[in-house]
Amino acid sequence: MKLRLPLLTLMAVAVAIGGCRASNGSDNNTTASTGSNKHQVGEDTKPPAKTAACGSFSESEPPPIEHVFVIVLENKSFDETYGPDSPAVYLRDTLVPQGQLLTHFYGTSHASTGNYISLLGAQAPNPASHGDCAVFAQWTPFNPAQPVLDYGQANGAGCMYPANIPTLVDEMDAYSLIHAGKKGFKGFTWRGWMQDMALEQAGAPRDNQRPEDKTCVGPPINEIDRTNGADEFEQYAARHNPFLFYRSVVGDGVSATDLERCDSNVIDLAVGSPSQGLPGLTQALKSKDTTPNYNLIVPDNCHNAHDTESQCASTSGGPGGLAEADLFLKHWVPQILASPAYKEAGMLVILFDEANFGQGSDEDFDGCCGQELDGGLRHRGADLGLNGITGPGGGRFGTVVLSPFTKAGTQNDTKYNHYSMVRTIENLLGLDDIHFDPYDSTPIGDRLAALNSDDATTRDAAIAAVTVAAGAEDHQRYIGYAGLPASEGMHAFGGDVFNCEPK
Protein backbone atom coordinates (compact mmCIF):
# COMPACT_ATOMS: atom_id res chain seq x y z
CA MET A 1 0.00 0.00 0.00
CA LYS A 2 1.25 3.44 -0.87
CA LEU A 3 0.72 6.50 1.24
CA ARG A 4 0.19 9.90 -0.27
CA LEU A 5 2.67 12.55 0.82
CA PRO A 6 1.47 15.07 3.42
CA LEU A 7 0.46 18.48 2.16
CA LEU A 8 3.38 20.30 0.58
CA THR A 9 4.35 23.76 1.67
CA LEU A 10 3.88 26.62 -0.75
CA MET A 11 7.60 27.27 -0.80
CA ALA A 12 8.45 23.66 -1.65
CA VAL A 13 6.06 23.63 -4.57
CA ALA A 14 7.17 27.03 -5.80
CA VAL A 15 10.78 25.88 -5.83
CA ALA A 16 9.90 22.63 -7.56
CA ILE A 17 7.74 24.24 -10.22
CA GLY A 18 9.99 27.24 -10.67
CA GLY A 19 12.84 24.94 -11.61
CA CYS A 20 10.81 23.18 -14.27
CA ARG A 21 10.31 24.59 -17.73
CA ALA A 22 8.22 23.25 -20.53
CA SER A 23 9.99 21.01 -23.00
CA ASN A 24 9.38 21.15 -26.71
CA GLY A 25 10.80 19.50 -29.76
CA SER A 26 14.56 19.31 -29.41
CA ASP A 27 14.71 20.69 -25.86
CA ASN A 28 16.09 17.76 -23.88
CA ASN A 29 17.22 19.75 -20.86
CA THR A 30 16.14 18.41 -17.48
CA THR A 31 15.46 20.32 -14.31
CA ALA A 32 14.27 19.48 -10.82
CA SER A 33 10.65 18.42 -10.49
CA THR A 34 8.48 17.30 -7.61
CA GLY A 35 8.25 13.72 -8.82
CA SER A 36 5.68 11.27 -7.47
CA ASN A 37 3.13 12.25 -4.84
CA LYS A 38 3.24 8.82 -3.20
CA HIS A 39 5.70 6.87 -1.12
CA GLN A 40 5.76 3.61 0.76
CA VAL A 41 4.09 3.38 4.15
CA GLY A 42 6.61 3.43 6.95
CA GLU A 43 9.10 5.79 5.34
CA ASP A 44 10.11 8.60 7.64
CA THR A 45 11.13 11.13 5.01
CA LYS A 46 9.86 12.39 1.69
CA PRO A 47 11.56 10.93 -1.36
CA PRO A 48 14.23 13.22 -2.81
CA ALA A 49 13.19 15.47 -5.67
CA LYS A 50 14.08 13.78 -8.93
CA THR A 51 15.57 15.28 -12.04
CA ALA A 52 13.21 15.01 -14.96
CA ALA A 53 12.16 16.80 -18.09
CA CYS A 54 8.98 18.80 -17.85
CA GLY A 55 6.14 16.68 -19.12
CA SER A 56 7.65 13.52 -17.62
CA PHE A 57 4.66 13.09 -15.34
CA SER A 58 2.57 10.02 -16.13
CA GLU A 59 -0.24 7.89 -14.75
CA SER A 60 2.23 6.10 -12.53
CA GLU A 61 4.12 9.28 -11.60
CA PRO A 62 1.53 12.09 -11.38
CA PRO A 63 2.29 15.54 -10.03
CA PRO A 64 1.61 16.16 -6.32
CA ILE A 65 -1.81 17.72 -6.88
CA GLU A 66 -3.79 17.77 -3.65
CA HIS A 67 -6.93 19.78 -4.42
CA VAL A 68 -9.13 19.05 -7.44
CA PHE A 69 -11.97 21.31 -8.61
CA VAL A 70 -14.36 20.08 -11.32
CA ILE A 71 -17.01 22.43 -12.74
CA VAL A 72 -19.71 20.69 -14.80
CA LEU A 73 -21.60 22.65 -17.47
CA GLU A 74 -24.38 21.34 -19.71
CA ASN A 75 -25.15 20.20 -23.22
CA LYS A 76 -22.81 22.07 -25.53
CA SER A 77 -20.66 20.75 -28.35
CA PHE A 78 -17.06 21.74 -28.95
CA ASP A 79 -17.59 24.28 -31.74
CA GLU A 80 -20.45 25.98 -29.88
CA THR A 81 -18.22 26.62 -26.89
CA TYR A 82 -14.80 27.26 -28.38
CA GLY A 83 -15.64 28.42 -31.90
CA PRO A 84 -15.45 32.06 -33.08
CA ASP A 85 -19.17 32.69 -32.50
CA SER A 86 -19.23 31.38 -28.93
CA PRO A 87 -20.85 33.65 -26.33
CA ALA A 88 -18.56 32.03 -23.72
CA VAL A 89 -16.00 34.79 -24.23
CA TYR A 90 -14.38 34.55 -20.79
CA LEU A 91 -13.97 30.81 -21.08
CA ARG A 92 -12.64 30.92 -24.63
CA ASP A 93 -10.51 34.07 -24.55
CA THR A 94 -9.33 34.23 -20.92
CA LEU A 95 -9.33 30.76 -19.39
CA VAL A 96 -8.21 28.74 -22.42
CA PRO A 97 -5.02 30.82 -22.75
CA GLN A 98 -4.33 30.25 -19.05
CA GLY A 99 -4.50 26.47 -19.28
CA GLN A 100 -4.71 23.56 -21.65
CA LEU A 101 -7.66 22.88 -23.96
CA LEU A 102 -8.43 19.18 -24.31
CA THR A 103 -10.03 19.24 -27.74
CA HIS A 104 -11.28 15.64 -27.71
CA PHE A 105 -13.10 15.14 -24.43
CA TYR A 106 -16.34 13.13 -24.69
CA GLY A 107 -19.47 12.43 -22.71
CA THR A 108 -20.33 8.84 -21.91
CA SER A 109 -24.05 8.97 -22.77
CA HIS A 110 -27.18 10.93 -23.43
CA ALA A 111 -29.00 12.29 -21.49
CA SER A 112 -27.48 14.24 -18.59
CA THR A 113 -27.88 11.99 -15.55
CA GLY A 114 -25.86 9.10 -16.92
CA ASN A 115 -22.87 11.41 -17.40
CA TYR A 116 -22.95 12.67 -13.82
CA ILE A 117 -23.17 9.07 -12.63
CA SER A 118 -20.14 8.20 -14.79
CA LEU A 119 -18.22 11.18 -13.44
CA LEU A 120 -18.53 10.05 -9.82
CA GLY A 121 -18.45 6.26 -10.02
CA ALA A 122 -17.49 5.30 -13.62
CA GLN A 123 -20.77 3.45 -14.11
CA ALA A 124 -22.33 3.32 -17.57
CA PRO A 125 -25.87 4.57 -18.18
CA ASN A 126 -28.90 2.35 -17.83
CA PRO A 127 -32.45 2.76 -19.15
CA ALA A 128 -33.48 4.88 -16.15
CA SER A 129 -30.59 7.33 -16.38
CA HIS A 130 -31.15 7.59 -20.14
CA GLY A 131 -34.47 9.15 -19.15
CA ASP A 132 -32.74 11.56 -16.69
CA CYS A 133 -34.32 9.60 -13.81
CA ALA A 134 -37.61 11.45 -14.24
CA VAL A 135 -38.88 8.94 -11.69
CA PHE A 136 -36.39 8.29 -8.92
CA ALA A 137 -36.63 4.56 -9.37
CA GLN A 138 -35.30 1.81 -7.13
CA TRP A 139 -32.69 -0.52 -8.60
CA THR A 140 -34.02 -3.58 -10.44
CA PRO A 141 -31.46 -6.25 -11.36
CA PHE A 142 -31.68 -7.70 -14.86
CA ASN A 143 -30.27 -11.03 -13.72
CA PRO A 144 -30.09 -11.74 -9.96
CA ALA A 145 -27.63 -14.52 -10.70
CA GLN A 146 -25.29 -11.99 -12.34
CA PRO A 147 -25.73 -8.70 -10.46
CA VAL A 148 -22.41 -7.27 -11.69
CA LEU A 149 -21.00 -7.36 -15.22
CA ASP A 150 -17.41 -6.92 -16.42
CA TYR A 151 -15.52 -3.91 -15.08
CA GLY A 152 -17.77 -3.68 -12.05
CA GLN A 153 -20.83 -2.53 -13.96
CA ALA A 154 -24.09 -2.96 -12.06
CA ASN A 155 -26.40 -5.18 -14.11
CA GLY A 156 -29.83 -3.65 -13.94
CA ALA A 157 -31.88 -0.49 -14.24
CA GLY A 158 -32.79 2.25 -11.80
CA CYS A 159 -31.61 5.50 -10.28
CA MET A 160 -30.02 4.29 -7.05
CA TYR A 161 -27.03 2.07 -7.72
CA PRO A 162 -26.63 -0.88 -5.32
CA ALA A 163 -24.83 -0.41 -2.00
CA ASN A 164 -21.79 -2.43 -3.09
CA ILE A 165 -21.02 -0.20 -6.10
CA PRO A 166 -18.25 2.26 -5.12
CA THR A 167 -17.57 5.89 -5.98
CA LEU A 168 -14.58 8.21 -5.79
CA VAL A 169 -15.66 9.57 -2.44
CA ASP A 170 -15.99 6.07 -0.97
CA GLU A 171 -12.39 5.44 -1.96
CA MET A 172 -11.38 8.76 -0.42
CA ASP A 173 -13.07 7.95 2.88
CA ALA A 174 -11.58 4.45 2.95
CA TYR A 175 -8.11 5.83 2.29
CA SER A 176 -8.56 8.36 5.07
CA LEU A 177 -9.67 5.74 7.58
CA ILE A 178 -6.66 3.57 6.76
CA HIS A 179 -4.01 6.30 6.71
CA ALA A 180 -5.21 9.17 8.90
CA GLY A 181 -2.46 10.23 11.27
CA LYS A 182 0.38 8.72 9.30
CA LYS A 183 3.08 11.23 8.38
CA GLY A 184 0.78 14.09 9.27
CA PHE A 185 -1.98 13.02 6.85
CA LYS A 186 -5.28 14.34 8.22
CA GLY A 187 -7.55 12.54 5.80
CA PHE A 188 -9.25 13.54 2.57
CA THR A 189 -12.26 15.82 2.47
CA TRP A 190 -14.80 16.16 -0.33
CA ARG A 191 -17.75 18.35 -1.24
CA GLY A 192 -20.48 18.48 -3.78
CA TRP A 193 -21.19 22.19 -4.26
CA MET A 194 -24.74 22.54 -5.62
CA GLN A 195 -25.95 25.97 -6.70
CA ASP A 196 -29.49 26.86 -5.54
CA MET A 197 -29.82 23.76 -3.36
CA ALA A 198 -30.62 25.95 -0.35
CA LEU A 199 -33.32 27.72 -2.37
CA GLU A 200 -34.78 24.36 -3.41
CA GLN A 201 -34.79 23.31 0.21
CA ALA A 202 -36.53 26.51 1.27
CA GLY A 203 -39.18 26.16 -1.39
CA ALA A 204 -40.86 22.98 -0.18
CA PRO A 205 -41.13 20.86 2.99
CA ARG A 206 -38.62 18.07 3.37
CA ASP A 207 -39.83 14.56 2.65
CA ASN A 208 -39.58 11.44 4.82
CA GLN A 209 -39.44 13.39 8.10
CA ARG A 210 -35.92 14.58 7.39
CA PRO A 211 -34.76 17.71 9.23
CA GLU A 212 -35.67 20.82 7.29
CA ASP A 213 -32.32 22.47 7.96
CA LYS A 214 -30.17 19.81 6.31
CA THR A 215 -29.04 19.57 2.70
CA CYS A 216 -28.62 16.97 -0.08
CA VAL A 217 -32.05 17.60 -1.57
CA GLY A 218 -33.55 14.96 -3.83
CA PRO A 219 -36.91 13.41 -4.70
CA PRO A 220 -38.42 10.59 -2.64
CA ILE A 221 -37.67 7.12 -3.96
CA ASN A 222 -40.03 5.88 -6.68
CA GLU A 223 -41.62 9.30 -7.08
CA ILE A 224 -41.43 11.87 -9.86
CA ASP A 225 -38.46 14.20 -9.59
CA ARG A 226 -39.94 17.66 -9.11
CA THR A 227 -36.57 19.26 -8.40
CA ASN A 228 -36.07 19.89 -12.09
CA GLY A 229 -35.11 23.54 -12.20
CA ALA A 230 -38.59 24.74 -13.14
CA ASP A 231 -39.42 26.70 -9.98
CA GLU A 232 -40.03 30.42 -10.15
CA PHE A 233 -37.11 31.31 -7.91
CA GLU A 234 -34.42 28.62 -8.29
CA GLN A 235 -32.96 26.25 -10.85
CA TYR A 236 -31.43 23.39 -8.82
CA ALA A 237 -31.90 20.00 -10.51
CA ALA A 238 -31.42 16.81 -8.49
CA ARG A 239 -30.72 14.90 -11.70
CA HIS A 240 -27.40 16.76 -11.85
CA ASN A 241 -26.42 15.73 -8.30
CA PRO A 242 -24.63 12.39 -8.76
CA PHE A 243 -24.21 11.70 -5.03
CA LEU A 244 -27.95 10.97 -4.81
CA PHE A 245 -27.65 8.03 -7.20
CA TYR A 246 -25.29 5.84 -5.19
CA ARG A 247 -26.51 3.92 -2.15
CA SER A 248 -22.89 3.80 -1.01
CA VAL A 249 -23.37 7.52 -0.24
CA VAL A 250 -27.07 7.78 0.72
CA GLY A 251 -27.81 4.33 2.12
CA ASP A 252 -31.48 3.51 1.74
CA GLY A 253 -32.13 7.18 1.02
CA VAL A 254 -35.10 7.39 3.39
CA SER A 255 -34.16 8.50 6.90
CA ALA A 256 -32.01 11.32 8.20
CA THR A 257 -29.52 8.68 9.34
CA ASP A 258 -29.32 7.24 5.83
CA LEU A 259 -28.63 10.64 4.34
CA GLU A 260 -26.31 11.99 7.04
CA ARG A 261 -23.14 11.41 5.01
CA CYS A 262 -24.60 13.12 1.96
CA ASP A 263 -26.05 15.96 4.05
CA SER A 264 -22.68 16.74 5.59
CA ASN A 265 -20.79 16.77 2.29
CA VAL A 266 -23.20 17.85 -0.46
CA ILE A 267 -24.14 21.43 0.28
CA ASP A 268 -25.20 24.71 -1.27
CA LEU A 269 -22.53 26.44 -3.35
CA ALA A 270 -23.08 29.94 -1.97
CA VAL A 271 -24.17 29.46 1.65
CA GLY A 272 -22.93 25.97 2.46
CA SER A 273 -24.93 24.54 5.35
CA PRO A 274 -25.26 27.08 8.18
CA SER A 275 -27.00 24.59 10.47
CA GLN A 276 -23.98 22.31 10.26
CA GLY A 277 -21.42 25.09 10.46
CA LEU A 278 -20.24 24.39 6.91
CA PRO A 279 -19.33 27.48 4.87
CA GLY A 280 -20.04 28.14 1.22
CA LEU A 281 -17.28 27.83 -1.35
CA THR A 282 -16.08 31.45 -1.11
CA GLN A 283 -15.33 31.12 2.59
CA ALA A 284 -13.92 27.59 2.26
CA LEU A 285 -11.39 28.75 -0.34
CA LYS A 286 -9.76 31.24 2.03
CA SER A 287 -7.64 28.56 3.67
CA LYS A 288 -6.01 25.43 2.37
CA ASP A 289 -7.17 23.58 5.47
CA THR A 290 -10.83 24.44 4.83
CA THR A 291 -10.69 23.68 1.10
CA PRO A 292 -11.80 20.11 0.35
CA ASN A 293 -9.47 17.85 -1.61
CA TYR A 294 -12.21 16.98 -4.11
CA ASN A 295 -14.73 19.61 -5.18
CA LEU A 296 -17.53 18.84 -7.63
CA ILE A 297 -19.13 22.17 -8.53
CA VAL A 298 -22.54 22.00 -10.20
CA PRO A 299 -24.20 25.26 -11.33
CA ASP A 300 -27.96 25.56 -11.51
CA ASN A 301 -29.81 25.17 -14.79
CA CYS A 302 -29.43 28.82 -15.73
CA HIS A 303 -25.73 29.06 -14.95
CA ASN A 304 -24.70 25.73 -16.50
CA ALA A 305 -25.76 26.72 -20.05
CA HIS A 306 -28.79 24.39 -19.95
CA ASP A 307 -31.72 26.83 -19.95
CA THR A 308 -32.53 29.70 -22.28
CA GLU A 309 -33.02 33.38 -21.54
CA SER A 310 -36.80 32.98 -21.44
CA GLN A 311 -36.53 30.03 -19.04
CA CYS A 312 -34.26 32.04 -16.75
CA ALA A 313 -36.26 35.28 -16.87
CA SER A 314 -38.10 34.66 -13.58
CA THR A 315 -35.11 33.25 -11.68
CA SER A 316 -31.65 34.58 -12.48
CA GLY A 317 -32.90 37.16 -14.97
CA GLY A 318 -29.78 36.45 -16.98
CA PRO A 319 -29.13 35.61 -20.64
CA GLY A 320 -29.20 31.83 -20.18
CA GLY A 321 -27.16 29.45 -22.30
CA LEU A 322 -23.39 29.74 -22.67
CA ALA A 323 -23.48 33.46 -21.98
CA GLU A 324 -24.81 32.88 -18.46
CA ALA A 325 -22.47 29.95 -17.88
CA ASP A 326 -19.66 32.35 -18.79
CA LEU A 327 -20.84 34.76 -16.09
CA PHE A 328 -20.78 31.91 -13.58
CA LEU A 329 -17.21 31.09 -14.51
CA LYS A 330 -16.19 34.75 -14.40
CA HIS A 331 -17.50 34.94 -10.82
CA TRP A 332 -16.18 31.66 -9.38
CA VAL A 333 -13.03 30.76 -11.30
CA PRO A 334 -10.95 33.75 -10.14
CA GLN A 335 -11.78 32.82 -6.54
CA ILE A 336 -10.57 29.27 -7.11
CA LEU A 337 -7.39 30.35 -8.91
CA ALA A 338 -6.57 32.83 -6.13
CA SER A 339 -7.05 30.27 -3.37
CA PRO A 340 -4.04 28.96 -1.41
CA ALA A 341 -5.07 25.37 -2.15
CA TYR A 342 -5.10 25.89 -5.91
CA LYS A 343 -1.94 28.00 -6.05
CA GLU A 344 0.05 25.49 -4.04
CA ALA A 345 -0.96 22.22 -5.67
CA GLY A 346 -4.35 22.38 -7.34
CA MET A 347 -6.14 21.52 -10.57
CA LEU A 348 -9.30 23.05 -12.02
CA VAL A 349 -11.18 21.19 -14.75
CA ILE A 350 -14.04 22.85 -16.64
CA LEU A 351 -16.04 20.32 -18.62
CA PHE A 352 -19.56 19.55 -19.81
CA ASP A 353 -21.78 16.59 -19.09
CA GLU A 354 -22.41 15.93 -22.79
CA ALA A 355 -22.48 17.52 -26.22
CA ASN A 356 -25.69 18.65 -27.86
CA PHE A 357 -28.35 15.99 -28.17
CA GLY A 358 -30.13 15.92 -31.51
CA GLN A 359 -29.12 19.46 -32.45
CA GLY A 360 -25.60 19.15 -33.82
CA SER A 361 -23.66 16.81 -36.06
CA ASP A 362 -23.01 13.08 -35.82
CA GLU A 363 -20.02 14.01 -33.65
CA ASP A 364 -22.50 14.83 -30.88
CA PHE A 365 -23.04 11.09 -30.40
CA ASP A 366 -19.42 9.98 -30.60
CA GLY A 367 -17.49 8.30 -27.82
CA CYS A 368 -13.93 7.33 -27.10
CA CYS A 369 -11.65 5.31 -24.92
CA GLY A 370 -13.15 1.87 -25.52
CA GLN A 371 -16.79 2.88 -25.96
CA GLU A 372 -16.44 3.21 -29.70
CA LEU A 373 -15.13 -0.34 -30.19
CA ASP A 374 -17.34 -2.84 -32.02
CA GLY A 375 -19.73 -0.16 -33.21
CA GLY A 376 -20.20 1.24 -29.73
CA LEU A 377 -21.62 -1.97 -28.31
CA ARG A 378 -18.58 -3.22 -26.47
CA HIS A 379 -18.54 -1.36 -23.17
CA ARG A 380 -22.09 -0.31 -22.51
CA GLY A 381 -22.71 -1.77 -19.04
CA ALA A 382 -26.33 -2.70 -18.52
CA ASP A 383 -27.53 -0.28 -21.19
CA LEU A 384 -29.89 -2.00 -23.63
CA GLY A 385 -29.04 0.34 -26.47
CA LEU A 386 -26.17 2.51 -27.60
CA ASN A 387 -24.83 4.75 -24.84
CA GLY A 388 -25.42 7.82 -27.00
CA ILE A 389 -28.73 6.45 -28.37
CA THR A 390 -27.59 6.90 -31.99
CA GLY A 391 -23.87 6.52 -31.35
CA PRO A 392 -21.43 5.13 -28.81
CA GLY A 393 -21.16 8.10 -26.44
CA GLY A 394 -22.25 11.53 -25.33
CA GLY A 395 -20.38 13.47 -28.00
CA ARG A 396 -17.33 15.74 -28.10
CA PHE A 397 -17.41 18.90 -26.04
CA GLY A 398 -13.83 19.70 -25.03
CA THR A 399 -12.43 20.52 -21.60
CA VAL A 400 -10.14 23.12 -20.06
CA VAL A 401 -7.52 22.14 -17.46
CA LEU A 402 -5.77 24.76 -15.33
CA SER A 403 -3.04 23.87 -12.85
CA PRO A 404 0.39 25.07 -11.70
CA PHE A 405 1.58 21.84 -13.33
CA THR A 406 0.01 22.61 -16.72
CA LYS A 407 1.59 24.85 -19.32
CA ALA A 408 -0.63 27.78 -20.28
CA GLY A 409 -1.86 28.26 -23.83
CA THR A 410 -1.55 24.64 -24.96
CA GLN A 411 -3.90 22.27 -26.75
CA ASN A 412 -4.10 18.50 -26.52
CA ASP A 413 -5.95 16.13 -28.85
CA THR A 414 -5.63 13.03 -26.64
CA LYS A 415 -9.04 11.41 -26.23
CA TYR A 416 -10.59 11.50 -22.76
CA ASN A 417 -14.04 10.99 -21.25
CA HIS A 418 -15.69 10.99 -17.82
CA TYR A 419 -14.16 7.62 -17.00
CA SER A 420 -10.75 9.15 -17.73
CA MET A 421 -11.55 11.91 -15.26
CA VAL A 422 -12.32 9.36 -12.55
CA ARG A 423 -9.09 7.52 -13.30
CA THR A 424 -7.13 10.79 -13.17
CA ILE A 425 -8.42 11.68 -9.70
CA GLU A 426 -7.76 8.17 -8.44
CA ASN A 427 -4.15 8.50 -9.59
CA LEU A 428 -3.59 11.99 -8.24
CA LEU A 429 -4.89 11.16 -4.77
CA GLY A 430 -3.37 7.69 -4.58
CA LEU A 431 -6.78 6.02 -4.61
CA ASP A 432 -5.62 3.36 -7.06
CA ASP A 433 -4.35 1.55 -3.96
CA ILE A 434 -7.96 1.16 -2.76
CA HIS A 435 -10.40 -1.24 -4.37
CA PHE A 436 -13.91 -2.13 -3.26
CA ASP A 437 -14.62 -5.38 -5.06
CA PRO A 438 -18.01 -4.84 -6.75
CA TYR A 439 -18.46 -8.61 -7.04
CA ASP A 440 -18.52 -8.75 -3.24
CA SER A 441 -22.05 -8.14 -2.02
CA THR A 442 -20.86 -6.37 1.15
CA PRO A 443 -22.23 -2.81 1.22
CA ILE A 444 -19.65 -0.04 1.06
CA GLY A 445 -21.03 1.41 4.29
CA ASP A 446 -20.27 -1.82 6.13
CA ARG A 447 -16.71 -1.78 4.82
CA LEU A 448 -16.22 1.81 5.96
CA ALA A 449 -17.66 1.00 9.38
CA ALA A 450 -15.25 -1.94 9.73
CA LEU A 451 -12.32 0.28 8.76
CA ASN A 452 -13.37 2.59 11.59
CA SER A 453 -13.70 -0.23 14.11
CA ASP A 454 -11.84 -0.18 17.43
CA ASP A 455 -11.39 -3.93 17.11
CA ALA A 456 -7.99 -4.57 15.53
CA THR A 457 -9.02 -7.88 13.95
CA THR A 458 -12.09 -6.35 12.32
CA ARG A 459 -10.11 -3.37 11.07
CA ASP A 460 -7.24 -5.47 9.71
CA ALA A 461 -9.66 -7.71 7.83
CA ALA A 462 -11.37 -4.65 6.35
CA ILE A 463 -8.03 -3.17 5.26
CA ALA A 464 -7.11 -6.45 3.56
CA ALA A 465 -10.51 -6.48 1.79
CA VAL A 466 -10.03 -3.04 0.21
CA THR A 467 -6.29 -3.14 -0.48
CA VAL A 468 -5.07 -3.69 -4.02
CA ALA A 469 -2.72 -6.64 -4.42
CA ALA A 470 0.69 -6.16 -5.99
CA GLY A 471 0.59 -6.52 -9.76
CA ALA A 472 -3.13 -5.81 -9.99
CA GLU A 473 -4.54 -5.14 -13.45
CA ASP A 474 -6.23 -1.88 -14.41
CA HIS A 475 -9.72 -3.20 -13.72
CA GLN A 476 -8.60 -4.10 -10.19
CA ARG A 477 -7.06 -0.69 -9.51
CA TYR A 478 -9.79 1.63 -10.74
CA ILE A 479 -13.54 1.73 -10.28
CA GLY A 480 -15.95 0.86 -13.05
CA TYR A 481 -15.02 1.69 -16.61
CA ALA A 482 -12.11 3.80 -15.36
CA GLY A 483 -10.44 0.38 -15.21
CA LEU A 484 -10.62 -0.26 -18.95
CA PRO A 485 -7.15 -1.15 -20.24
CA ALA A 486 -4.89 1.42 -21.84
CA SER A 487 -4.85 -0.76 -24.96
CA GLU A 488 -8.47 0.30 -25.53
CA GLY A 489 -7.70 3.98 -25.16
CA MET A 490 -8.43 4.53 -21.48
CA HIS A 491 -5.89 6.92 -19.95
CA ALA A 492 -5.58 9.24 -17.01
CA PHE A 493 -4.04 12.66 -17.47
CA GLY A 494 -0.29 12.29 -17.72
CA GLY A 495 2.66 14.18 -19.13
CA ASP A 496 0.53 15.50 -21.98
CA VAL A 497 -1.63 17.49 -19.54
CA PHE A 498 0.81 17.96 -16.66
CA ASN A 499 3.57 19.54 -18.72
CA CYS A 500 4.94 21.72 -15.94
CA GLU A 501 4.46 25.42 -16.58
CA PRO A 502 6.79 27.50 -14.37
CA LYS A 503 5.11 30.04 -12.12
Side-chain angles (χ1 to χ4, degrees):
M1 174 75 69
K2 298 174 183 176
L3 175 62
R4 189 177 182 279
L5 284 174
L7 297 181
L8 300 171
T9 64
L10 178 59
M11 181 179 295
V13 174
V15 170
I17 300 175
C20 190
R21 59 193 176 87
S23 60
N24 58 50
S26 60
D27 184 1
N28 294 319
N29 293 326
T30 60
T31 53
S33 108
T34 52
S36 175
N37 64 338
K38 306 176 192 175
H39 69 291
Q40 295 298 319
V41 172
E43 292 184 4
D44 294 327
T45 59
K46 297 178 183 179
K50 70 177 185 177
T51 300
C54 294
S56 65
F57 295 118
S58 64
E59 288 195 31
S60 60
E61 294 289 333
I65 286 173
E66 299 176 334
H67 293 86
V68 176
F69 306 86
V70 180
I71 298 177
V72 189
L73 304 178
E74 280 273 322
N75 300 16
K76 294 293 179 287
S77 303
F78 182 85
D79 289 340
E80 287 181 273
T81 305
Y82 301 106
D85 298 325
S86 171
V89 178
Y90 174 72
L91 173 60
R92 185 194 62 199
D93 295 346
T94 300
L95 295 183
V96 168
Q98 292 182 36
Q100 183 176 105
L101 177 61
L102 307 182
T103 60
H104 286 73
F105 204 109
Y106 295 82
T108 52
S109 66
H110 291 297
S112 296
T113 299
N115 290 285
Y116 288 86
I117 288 170
S118 295
L119 193 57
L120 185 64
Q123 289 289 313
N126 69 72
S129 59
H130 267 317
D132 260 344
C133 283
V135 174
F136 205 63
Q138 292 269 25
W139 188 261
T140 301
F142 286 155
N143 181 359
Q146 189 184 20
V148 181
L149 302 172
D150 290 344
Y151 299 100
Q153 296 296 306
N155 185 20
C159 298
M160 297 190 71
Y161 279 77
N164 61 319
I165 301 299
T167 69
L168 275 172
V169 298
D170 300 317
E171 292 181 314
M172 292 178 69
D173 286 351
Y175 193 100
S176 297
L177 288 168
I178 293 172
H179 294 297
K182 296 179 181 178
K183 311 304 177 192
F185 177 60
K186 297 178 182 179
F188 287 127
T189 52
W190 54 274
R191 288 286 184 274
W193 301 99
M194 305 289 150
Q195 188 178 25
D196 278 9
M197 180 184 277
L199 293 175
E200 176 74 47
Q201 173 187 324
R206 300 302 297 274
D207 294 299
N208 303 317
Q209 300 181 338
R210 293 185 56 212
E212 293 186 6
D213 57 355
K214 295 297 185 181
T215 60
C216 204
V217 178
I221 297 171
N222 289 330
E223 293 191 19
I224 294 174
D225 178 11
R226 302 186 189 282
T227 63
N228 58 10
D231 293 352
E232 293 182 357
F233 61 100
E234 57 80 26
Q235 291 286 325
Y236 166 76
R239 66 181 183 271
H240 299 158
N241 180 352
F243 301 96
L244 295 171
F245 300 104
Y246 286 94
R247 286 192 182 276
S248 65
V249 178
V250 299
D252 289 334
V254 174
S255 69
T257 301
D258 291 332
L259 288 147
E260 182 177 0
R261 186 165 169 236
C262 195
D263 276 334
S264 61
N265 288 284
V266 183
I267 61 179
D268 185 82
L269 174 67
V271 304
S273 177
S275 67
Q276 300 177 94
L278 301 174
L281 181 58
T282 296
Q283 185 66 29
L285 288 171
K286 292 183 178 180
S287 165
K288 184 180 67 175
D289 290 339
T290 58
T291 302
N293 299 98
Y294 173 63
N295 301 267
L296 185 65
I297 301 168
V298 181
D300 66 25
N301 265 4
C302 283
H303 292 92
N304 64 8
H306 186 284
D307 284 1
T308 64
E309 182 176 8
S310 61
Q311 290 173 304
C312 297
S314 61
T315 53
S316 70
L322 276 170
E324 191 150 358
D326 210 46
L327 294 174
F328 177 91
L329 296 176
K330 196 170 186 178
H331 176 78
W332 288 103
V333 169
Q335 297 182 55
I336 295 171
L337 299 187
S339 69
Y342 172 84
K343 290 196 292 185
E344 179 173 326
M347 177 179 72
L348 168 62
V349 180
I350 302 168
L351 47 70
F352 289 76
D353 65 331
E354 59 185 320
N356 252 325
F357 181 49
Q359 300 178 37
S361 66
D362 291 343
E363 191 177 54
D364 291 342
F365 305 95
D366 282 349
C368 77
C369 316
Q371 280 191 276
E372 74 276 27
L373 299 180
D374 296 344
L377 294 173
R378 180 154 182 179
H379 297 307
R380 56 178 178 153
D383 186 18
L384 296 177
L386 296 176
N387 287 338
I389 308 298
T390 61
R396 182 172 78 105
F397 50 75
T399 289
V400 177
V401 178
L402 298 101
S403 172
F405 298 95
T406 297
K407 179 176 172 59
T410 54
Q411 288 194 9
N412 182 357
D413 62 1
T414 304
K415 292 183 177 181
Y416 293 110
N417 64 11
H418 295 316
Y419 305 139
S420 305
M421 193 70 251
V422 171
R423 186 165 177 153
T424 296
I425 296 170
E426 289 179 296
N427 279 341
L428 290 173
L429 301 183
L431 304 178
D432 49 345
D433 283 340
I434 302 293
H435 186 70
F436 291 95
D437 184 357
Y439 303 97
D440 179 349
S441 60
T442 303
I444 303 296
D446 290 356
R447 290 290 187 207
L448 294 176
L451 288 172
N452 200 35
S453 174
D454 292 331
D455 179 74
T457 301
T458 300
R459 176 176 159 81
D460 288 346
I463 291 174
V466 300
T467 300
V468 174
E473 298 179 11
D474 286 346
H475 71 274
Q476 297 170 311
R477 302 195 71 89
Y478 303 102
I479 53 176
Y481 277 153
L484 283 169
S487 61
E488 296 187 4
M490 179 55 59
H491 303 285
F493 296 171
D496 57 332
V497 176
F498 303 123
N499 49 8
C500 215
E501 167 77 347
K503 297 294 182 185

